[in-house]
Amino acid sequence: MRILIPILTLLLISCSQTDKRKKNKESENTKTELTAELPQVNDQFQSFLDKFPKIELPVMIKGCEVEYEGLTEFNEENPSPYVQDYSYAVGQIKTNGNYVSVITLGVADCLLPVLTTYKLTGEKIDSETIAIGYCGSGPCFECEEFMTLREDFTIYTADTLKTSECDDDYNPIPGTESVEVIYKEGRLTVKGVIELSDEMKKKIK
């Protein structure tokens, strides 16, 4: 019996150490798998993201009224492989998945919001202009360009068009106004895909 007790003690210690080594190995394997699933942002892509201030949802932009002074501009003198030239960096938004998303302003008659999503490595997932694009200048014509990305990651964008008949001097004739809303709805998915509906119309007046 005196001989058996030390032997049993040694066996218990050995088993305990084996279980501990096994658990440590499993923990290391789990960390390795997680690291493989979450690749790190590379330096070039991080430098690009640093040009975008982090902004909170909801985001609302009126393309014909938005201020762009002070925003980083991407152009021939300041190009980036991650975004089209002639655009402005609005901000980087919080996402609902394992990806990165930024909003830029494309240059047109009115500035057009562009939503772009990337993998953490910088590879582009999706990019969409979140605008209708019918606004511009003209006689007897008014237009408001609007988009919003809500806290639940749903998207709405619309052009509100107000048109009138013109007199000989190209002034609106009172009582001939017509108001129409052209809009799209959509959402940003957890995989970073941007879903937008076809254009829909709603007559206001």
Side-chain angles (χ1 to χ4, degrees):
M1 182 62 100
R2 290 178 182 175
I3 295 171
L4 284 174
I5 290 173
I7 291 173
L8 289 172
T9 303
L10 286 172
L11 286 173
L12 288 171
I13 292 171
S14 176
C15 289
S16 175
Q17 289 176 342
T18 300
D19 287 344
K20 189 178 291 185
R21 283 195 297 268
K22 186 177 179 182
K23 288 178 181 177
N24 287 341
K25 189 171 182 180
E26 288 174 354
S27 177
E28 287 174 3
N29 288 339
T30 301
K31 288 178 181 178
T32 302
E33 289 172 5
L34 286 173
T35 302
E37 290 174 3
L38 300 173
Q40 297 301 307
V41 175
N42 65 61
D43 290 342
Q44 185 185 31
F45 186 47
Q46 185 60 58
S47 178
F48 166 74
L49 294 178
D50 288 342
K51 296 178 171 63
F52 291 80
K54 291 189 178 180
I55 55 178
E56 298 293 326
L57 297 179
V59 175
M60 291 175 283
I61 296 175
K62 293 184 178 181
C64 299
E65 301 176 18
V66 64
E67 294 291 334
Y68 57 89
E69 290 184 8
L71 300 179
T72 298
E73 181 180 0
F74 299 103
N75 51 35
E76 291 179 353
E77 288 74 34
N78 183 35
S80 172
Y82 301 105
V83 71
Q84 65 180 13
D85 288 343
Y86 301 109
S87 58
Y88 295 90
V90 175
Q92 179 183 346
I93 65 168
K94 178 189 72 174
T95 64
N96 55 350
N98 189 30
Y99 64 93
V100 177
S101 184
V102 302
I103 296 176
T104 54
L105 296 174
V107 178
D109 287 340
C110 291
L111 296 174
L112 304 179
V114 178
L115 180 63
T116 306
T117 59
Y118 306 89
K119 295 180 180 179
L120 300 185
T121 56
E123 181 183 347
K124 186 183 292 185
I125 300 173
D126 205 354
S127 184
E128 291 286 348
T129 300
I130 312 299
I132 304 300
Y134 291 159
C135 289
S137 58
C140 307
F141 175 77
E142 295 177 23
C143 182
E144 180 182 77
E145 185 102 37
F146 174 80
M147 71 78 70
T148 182
L149 175 59
R150 305 184 183 98
E151 291 179 331
D152 62 356
F153 299 96
T154 57
I155 298 168
Y156 177 80
T157 181
D159 280 3
T160 302
L161 311 175
K162 181 180 178 182
T163 57
S164 303
E165 295 180 17
C166 294
D167 61 20
D168 294 339
D169 296 320
Y170 296 101
N171 295 313
I173 299 174
T176 64
E177 297 90 357
S178 174
V179 181
E180 182 179 52
V181 177
I182 303 174
Y183 66 99
K184 293 180 182 181
E185 296 176 321
R187 68 187 183 111
L188 181 56
T189 73
V190 295
K191 293 184 177 180
V193 176
I194 304 160
E195 297 178 348
L196 279 179
S197 68
D198 293 331
E199 288 183 8
M200 295 176 277
K201 295 183 179 181
K202 182 165 56 176
K203 194 80 171 179
I204 304 298
K205 183 179 179 182

